[in-house]
Amino acid sequence: MAGLYRFFPDSVLAVHIFGIVTLIAVAFASFFLSLKLFSNFSLAIYSAILVALEWHILFFSLSGMETVLFSSLIIFTLLALGDKPSKKVGILCGLVTLTRPEGSILFLLILANFIIKKAKSASFLSLLIPFIIVVAPVAIFNYTISGHILPNTFYAKHSYYTKDFWKFIGEVFNYFTLSHFGLLMPFFILSFWWQGKELLQKKIGRLSMIGLYFIGFIVAYGIFLPQLYTFGRYIVPLIPAFLILGLGVAWRVLKKWRVQEVYILIVVATFLYTAIKHSETYAYCVENITHLTVDIGKWLNENTEANAVIATHDIGAIPYFSRRYVIDTLGLGTAETIQFLKDEDGLLLYLKKRKVDYIVGYPFVYPKIVARPDVVPVFYKQLSGKIVAGCWHTMVVYKTLWH
């Protein structure tokens, strides 16, 4: 994104270019992975189309987030996976891990697979060294600024969210069952029959690696971050693999009655319908975020001193559009505030110590702080239409009077 922004100063255009490239990449990779798994060109075409039409993938490809990039790198890594460790797989695993730390699960599974297969130590190094070379600089950087090798986001979210493993597992099951995904869910579950046969024969290939990663990913999230978040954002990277396996098994099973293409066309039509339907969701999300955080960021830029210090729990657009120094009270961008995620009194002392000039947020997030006489509301934005972006209807800018 930084490289694109250098050539395309229009931030929206840069985001859309990034999104289109990652969307094409995940569809392209899905085509070849399906072809590798099932050796059927028509099925591979349908798989690529389905991945490209899926509304969550379309939504996040245009969001500027790393979600679809992460998804495509996972598929490319599975494509590159062979019978022996390789530099290519090591590099791809490194890139997957840099994109999101849970990508390391895939690397550990691949490493464990080669240990089981008793690969030669020299082969292990061809996988391990490239992975370390890719990951180490960022891990060192993270440790230097925060004292941890993983990004602040991991520790902040792990500390913030309530842990309920089995509730999360139920939510994931419903996510893939009570929606358009339900058309493929029975076939995806059936795919574990073939994956189990691979595992019993100690032939862990791409098929069983997909299943292992799918389970490992969900279990890891269930333990460390049991949240689906906005539109299931955290598990969206599993969707391409789910679609590839579900579609592939549906083709195999329904081929006996020669109805496989009819059923898959029904699935494609359903996915197209949901994509069109949820284009409105995307439009409302853009409207919500623009009228709250973007507009407030612009107001801060025009109405505060250049050296003003801003504190907010919603760090997304505000730093970019305000061009001010921003403290993230949820710890995603400011590691020091993680310790105050459930300590409003401690956070208040910290904000005073850092001489914060303005606090921006929803009034209910820090009720004690914003109720103080030395924290005065000076501007607010309010949503009047449909709210779908995880926003609240009112965001307020407060001026602090404590220094």
Side-chain angles (χ1 to χ4, degrees), residues 105-155:
I105 298 168
L106 182 58
F107 172 72
L108 293 173
L109 287 169
I110 291 171
L111 190 64
N113 177 33
F114 289 126
I115 290 173
I116 292 168
K117 289 182 176 179
K118 298 179 180 178
K120 294 179 181 178
S121 56
S123 298
F124 276 120
L125 292 177
S126 68
L127 175 72
L128 196 58
I129 291 174
F131 175 81
I132 292 171
I133 289 172
V134 172
V135 170
V138 176
I140 292 168
F141 173 77
N142 288 337
Y143 186 79
T144 301
I145 64 171
S146 68
H148 303 287
I149 61 170
L150 296 178
N152 290 345
T153 52
F154 172 81
Y155 300 101

Side-chain angles (χ1 to χ4, degrees), residues 256-289:
K256 296 176 183 177
W257 296 280
R258 299 181 181 178
V259 294
Q260 74 276 17
E261 291 205 58
V262 174
Y263 188 80
I264 286 174
L265 285 172
I266 291 171
V267 173
V268 170
T270 303
F271 274 58
L272 176 60
Y273 169 76
T274 58
I276 294 169
K277 179 183 175 182
H278 285 287
S279 62
E280 185 182 71
T281 304
Y282 178 80
Y284 277 121
C285 283
V286 172
E287 182 182 56
N288 290 173
I289 292 166

Side-chain angles (χ1 to χ4, degrees), residues 359-378:
I359 298 171
V360 181
Y362 305 133
F364 68 87
V365 176
Y366 301 116
K368 290 199 294 186
I369 292 177
V370 301
R372 291 172 56 88
D374 53 359
V375 178
V376 182
V378 291

Side-chain angles (χ1 to χ4, degrees), residues 382-398:
Q382 193 166 38
L383 295 176
S384 56
K386 188 174 182 180
I387 302 173
V388 294
C391 301
W392 200 54
H393 57 74
T394 304
M395 182 171 272
V396 184
V397 179
Y398 299 89

